[in-house]
Amino acid sequence: MSSWLWVPLGLIGLLLLGLLAYWQFVITEGTYLGQWMVTWLYDLTANRYDGIKQFDDDMEAIYLGRPLATALKSTPVPLICDIGTGTARLPLALLAQPTFQGKIVGLDDSRQMLRTAVSKTGGYENRLTLIWRDTTHLPFPDAVFDAVTCLEMLEFTPSPRRQLAEAIRVLRPGGILLTTRRRGFDARMIPGKTFTVAQCMTLLEELGIVDVQVLVWQVDYDLVWGRRDGNAQAGARPILEILLCPRCNIPTLVEKRQEIYCEKCSTLYPIRDGIIELR
Ligand SMILES: C[S@@+](CC[C@H](N)C(=O)[O-])C[C@H]1O[C@@H](n2cnc3c(N)ncnc32)[C@H](O)[C@@H]1O
């Protein structure tokens, strides 16, 4: 091959590499490279996350806080689980609602996202528990939450289907599910991790969710509301009553100064800067 041909070929190669990197790290946020990559990228960008998202308090109240508080109004002190809570967007929208008197547990695999969450939620310490943990397996028994929320996160998990099933496992019959469906061009760029509206409805029905509503929300996301079939009472319980030791998978945890201790396997889980480190 003539030597001058190497120049355009090299440029094309560089362009393709750049496009591949953009797809892997920006569009799919590392989801095909493993959970560690997703978490590392969120750790890296945590202090810019809110600036990038430009959350508007009024919009958060209209689309998230108010409808969720209304859906929960028949439970006096509801308990909510926010999976992939990030910088506490959902907890803040809900806790700002005067009619909401419940408690929230927020979990995330990114320690830095949670650090930002702590800095934004001062004053709510008695109503918001933050847990550092991969949510592929949730450290709670079945059917303990009145609502489970999971916003803009399913497509970044190893298996969105399994994550949804796990979310619904901890939701009580009659409880509210609020999640998101990636939509638009980006959804097509994340194959195997996103759902069409029809796939989303079918999957949720298979998992026992009824009254499913898929509502256009943002350019990239629909909001997906549903209710777990059946009816059972839940309501807020002290966190240590429902928190399972990740090793023993039973509620054997007690609080000792700045740590949580498992009475069965003696593992110590630190509480640092207001975050329970259950890793
Ligand atoms: C786009 S952010 C959404 C955060 C928040 N729900 C919101 O709407 O602003 C996705 C979040 O999911 C978290 N995440 C992704 N995979 C996770 C996993 N397997 N376990 C726990 N958190 C995870 C990331 O660390 C990140 O904070």
Side-chain angles (χ1 to χ4, degrees):
M1 203 188 317
S2 3
S3 58
W4 65 268
L5 259 182
W6 288 109
V7 177
L9 280 179
L11 287 175
I12 290 169
L14 275 178
L15 181 71
L16 289 177
L17 263 181
L19 285 174
L20 181 67
Y22 184 77
W23 175 71
Q24 282 282 12
F25 297 111
V26 180
I27 295 183
T28 71
E29 301 188 12
T31 189
Y32 297 110
L33 300 173
Q35 183 62 52
W36 69 273
M37 177 59 83
V38 172
T39 302
W40 183 70
L41 289 175
Y42 274 103
D43 275 340
L44 216 61
T45 51
N47 56 10
R48 285 185 284 128
Y49 180 79
D50 285 6
I52 294 167
K53 299 295 282 188
Q54 304 246 304
F55 296 128
D56 174 312
D57 288 351
D58 291 338
M59 289 297 136
E60 298 294 290
I62 290 170
Y63 286 99
L64 303 174
R66 228 175 282 159
L68 195 50
T70 305
L72 289 163
K73 69 175 187 296
S74 59
T75 310
V77 187
L79 184 62
I80 321 304
C81 177
D82 186 35
I83 300 173
T85 197
T87 58
R89 170 212 207 147
L90 187 284
L92 281 170
L94 189 54
L95 288 163
Q97 293 303 309
T99 55
F100 176 74
Q101 295 302 318
K103 298 191 172 188
I104 306 175
V105 182
L107 304 100
D108 204 283
D109 198 36
S110 160
R111 188 67 174 72
Q112 299 306 326
M113 291 291 272
L114 290 176
R115 192 183 293 261
T116 308
V118 170
S119 71
K120 290 165 61 187
T121 52
Y124 287 123
E125 291 83 357
N126 293 335
R127 296 176 63 197
L128 175 63
T129 303
L130 292 169
I131 299 178
W132 183 28
R133 180 170 173 79
D134 178 348
T135 56
T136 305
H137 178 72
L138 292 166
F140 306 109
D142 297 354
V144 284
F145 291 98
D146 298 291
V148 175
T149 55
C150 181
L151 303 180
E152 302 191 18
M153 107 31 117
L154 287 175
E155 64 272 30
F156 306 121
T157 61
S159 165
R161 280 165 193 271
R162 278 207 302 275
Q163 184 64 74
L164 255 185
E166 181 64 356
I168 293 163
R169 178 185 70 77
V170 300
L171 179 63
R172 73 163 163 88
I176 307 293
L177 176 74
L178 172 59
T179 186
T180 49
R181 186 192 79 87
R182 193 80 182 235
R183 67 196 302 274
F185 176 73
D186 282 2
R188 289 192 287 279
M189 300 298 282
I190 318 178
K193 301 255 184 180
T194 54
F195 307 103
T196 62
V197 173
Q199 286 169 336
C200 182
M201 310 270 285
T202 308
L203 175 62
L204 288 174
E205 277 164 23
E206 281 169 13
L207 294 172
I209 299 296
V210 294
D211 304 337
V212 178
Q213 278 187 296
V214 181
L215 309 172
V216 175
W217 179 35
Q218 301 173 159
V219 178
D220 290 340
Y221 286 100
D222 288 335
L223 277 180
V224 182
W225 290 87
R227 188 173 57 79
R228 185 165 176 191
D229 204 11
N231 196 8
Q233 286 304 310
R237 287 157 64 186
I239 184 77
L240 290 182
E241 242 180 74
I242 57 163
L243 194 60
L244 307 181
C245 169
R247 289 188 179 198
C248 309
N249 214 29
I250 44 175
T252 42
L253 299 171
V254 290
E255 192 168 348
K256 283 192 175 177
R257 284 180 290 268
Q258 281 307 295
E259 283 168 331
I260 287 186
Y261 170 74
C262 175
E263 292 186 311
K264 184 156 187 278
C265 69
S266 306
T267 306
L268 286 169
Y269 301 100
I271 307 174
R272 289 198 195 103
D273 319 320
I275 299 166
I276 301 176
E277 300 188 345
L278 221 61
R279 297 248 299 194

